[in-house]
Amino acid sequence: MTLLEALKWGRAALAGGESPDIDAQLLLMQAAKVSRTTLLAFGERPLAPQAQAQFEGYIARRQNGEPVAHILGEQEFYGLALEVNPHTLIPRPDTETLVDLALALPEAPLRFLDLGTGTGAIAIAISHHRPAWQGVAVDAIAEAAALAGRNVQRHQAKVEVCQGSWFMPVRGQRFGLIVSNPPYIDPVDPHLGQGDVRFEPLSALIAEEAGLADLRYLVEQAPAYLESPGWLMLEHGYDQGAAVRQLMSERGFELVRSERDLGGQERVTLGQWQDK
Ligand code: GLN
C-alpha cells in the first residue's frame, strides 16, 4: 500500500465523521512518521506494513469517536504543540481569544494566574509571548497538574504549576491578571453526548447552576487575589456573556465587556478591578 492509497482508505473509512480529510491526514502522518509535505508530495511512497497496521488501529479508534488529539497524544494551541491526555480538556481554538486578550494588555512585567490550567495551554501561550511575565498555573486534578508541568518544561515557559482547588495554592498572593477557562457546561446539555467531549472528563466540562457555578465563584473570589488595578478574564459558554457581565459588574469590576471567538460567539468576559 502507498501513502496515498492509505490516505484515501482512511478518508473513506471516516466519511460521515466531522473532519475525515484532516483526521486521516494527521493520523497517517503520525503512523508513517512523515510530514504533511511528504504525505502530499510523495504519495507514491510505500507504507511499511507495521505503519499500516498502526494506521488501521488509529482509524478504528477514530471510528469509535475517540478524539484525534487523544490518539496522537498531542494538540496544537496558539502554534504550540502540547501533550494531551484523557485527564483534562483538549485545548480548543475558541480559547485562543482569551490568550489574545491577555496579550493585548500593556507589556510591562506582571504576575499572572491561570486557574484550572488543564494542559497548561493558556499559561504557556501567554508566557511564550511575554517572557518577562511570571505565571502561576493551578489545577485541582493531580494528573492535569503533572501534564501541565511537562508542557511547561517542554516549552521552557516561565510558569509555576501547583495542584490545588482554585485559589488554594496561591493564598496571600496578588496578580496583575487572572485568567481561567473553567467548567461551564450545563450538566443537562445534550452536547455532552456528542463528539470529543464524550472522551473528556466531566470535571473539566460541567458546573452547577446551568454551568455558572464556577464562573460565579471565580468572580466572587478574584478581587482578593488581584492587584489594583488588575484584570480578570474568563472564558464561558456562547450564551453566558450577559450573565458573566452581570456577575462582574455586581461584584464591582469596571470596564466590563465580552469578546467574541472566531466563530462570532461571545466567549470571554473581562473586567478590571480597583481596590475601593
Ligand atoms: N468549550 C468547551 C466545549 O464547549 C467547554 C470548555 C469548558 O467547559 N471550559 O466543548
Side-chain angles (χ1 to χ4, degrees), residues 97 104 183 193 276:
T97 307
K276 317 287 188 284

Side-chain angles (χ1 to χ4, degrees), residues 171-193:
R171 287 255 172 95
Q173 298 184 38
R174 298 254 175 187
F175 300 87
L177 167 66
I178 298 176
V179 294
S180 183
N181 174 18
Y184 55 67
I185 299 179
D186 185 336
V188 300
D189 190 324
H191 291 110
L192 290 167

